[in-house]
Amino acid sequence: MVNPVTQDGDPVGLWKDKSGNGFNFLNVNLSQQPTYKTGIMGSEAAILGDGSKTYLHNSTCNIATTTGITIYVVIKAVATSSFQSVFSAYAGAGTATTTPDGWDFETWTSSRWLLDRFDTDTDGLLLSKTAASSDFTQSQIIACSIDLGAGVGKIWVNGGTSSSDTMSDRTHINPTAMRIFARVDSAVEYFGGYLSQVLAYAGPHSTNQVNQILQYLSFRSSIPVAMAT
């Protein structure tokens, strides 16, 4: 059952897509719904994952791109562990190796943000970046951009200097399902923490575009960022 959110502490069974594409995230199981929290990042509200069972799912994803993808998240980790999936996408069911063509943005080793773009060979994209603050549980704005044409991906934590990686498989990205706070393939690696914004764009963003959106998200969430390079 999905009821409208009216106050702090309410369960969130539906997170509506504001892009107009209808990529809404849903979970009708009350015991697995994240929690709505107010005033987490500046005046922004957020959803809270418990790190053990809560997530939201979209099974009608039709994001198809031959050029790449750019993802932004405004986030604050609470429960840290080796791997916790924040925002993932896959083509179908199964595991990441049997159903490539997606991505998994997650925490890694309790101190790094990681974007793994699953592809059809062994030379996949693996982007990782240490959190800008020594405290991994500080609020962060993360930007990740994958350029399939150049075979390069970049990740920024609160702006600043990016980390990058290359890939040999430059075929299209065409996932069929997405999930927030858990991996799509098997609903494992639950994320424990707050998430107030998720933005996904088809195609890679230039550094100038990244800076424009980072500044917008910084203004909304009261999280300081440096100029991305």
Side-chain angles (χ1 to χ4, degrees):
M1 182 178 181
V2 177
N3 294 316
V5 171
T6 60
Q7 61 185 354
D8 184 90
D10 279 352
V12 178
L14 174 65
W15 195 356
K16 289 187 176 181
D17 175 21
K18 293 185 178 180
S19 71
N21 293 309
F23 297 151
N24 300 323
F25 287 83
L26 178 71
N27 193 335
V28 297
N29 188 328
L30 182 62
S31 67
Q32 295 179 324
Q33 293 173 358
T35 304
Y36 178 74
K37 301 298 292 182
T38 58
I40 299 301
M41 300 162 188
S43 60
E44 289 284 282
I47 60 172
L48 172 63
D50 67 0
S52 64
K53 64 181 182 303
T54 56
Y55 68 94
L56 297 172
H57 187 82
N58 175 285
S59 58
T60 59
C61 171
N62 62 355
I63 295 177
T65 173
T66 58
T67 57
I69 193 164
T70 306
I71 299 167
Y72 301 85
V73 297
V74 181
I75 195 166
K76 180 180 180 181
V78 174
T80 58
S81 64
S82 294
F83 295 100
Q84 291 188 336
S85 181
V86 178
F87 180 40
S88 64
Y90 293 89
T95 65
T97 54
T98 60
T99 60
D101 211 12
W103 66 82
D104 187 16
F105 174 72
E106 61 185 347
T107 64
W108 183 32
T109 63
S110 302
S111 62
R112 298 178 74 84
W113 297 107
L114 169 70
L115 179 71
D116 195 350
R117 184 253 164 162
F118 300 113
D119 57 19
T120 56
D121 64 13
T122 57
D123 184 21
L125 181 73
L126 189 66
L127 295 171
S128 70
K129 181 77 172 176
T130 302
S133 170
S134 59
D135 183 357
F136 191 54
T137 59
Q138 293 290 324
S139 299
Q140 313 274 344
I141 302 176
I142 319 295
C144 311
S145 186
I146 298 173
D147 186 338
L148 292 178
V152 175
K154 295 182 178 181
I155 183 170
W156 296 264
V157 177
N158 292 335
T161 304
S162 67
S163 291
S164 63
D165 192 21
T166 59
M167 56 192 163
S168 61
D169 186 343
R170 303 182 187 181
T171 56
H172 67 276
I173 296 174
N174 188 23
T176 57
M178 296 184 291
R179 186 166 288 179
I180 290 174
F181 289 167
R183 284 174 57 136
V184 169
D185 54 351
S186 55
V188 296
E189 299 179 3
Y190 294 99
F191 177 74
Y194 301 93
L195 182 66
S196 68
Q197 298 278 342
V198 179
L199 286 72
Y201 298 86
H205 276 185
S206 66
T207 304
N208 183 54
Q209 289 173 308
V210 169
N211 277 314
Q212 289 178 347
I213 295 179
L214 285 179
Q215 291 298 319
Y216 163 74
L217 293 174
S218 173
F219 175 78
R220 288 200 55 165
S221 60
S222 300
I223 300 172
V225 296
M227 293 296 292
T229 59

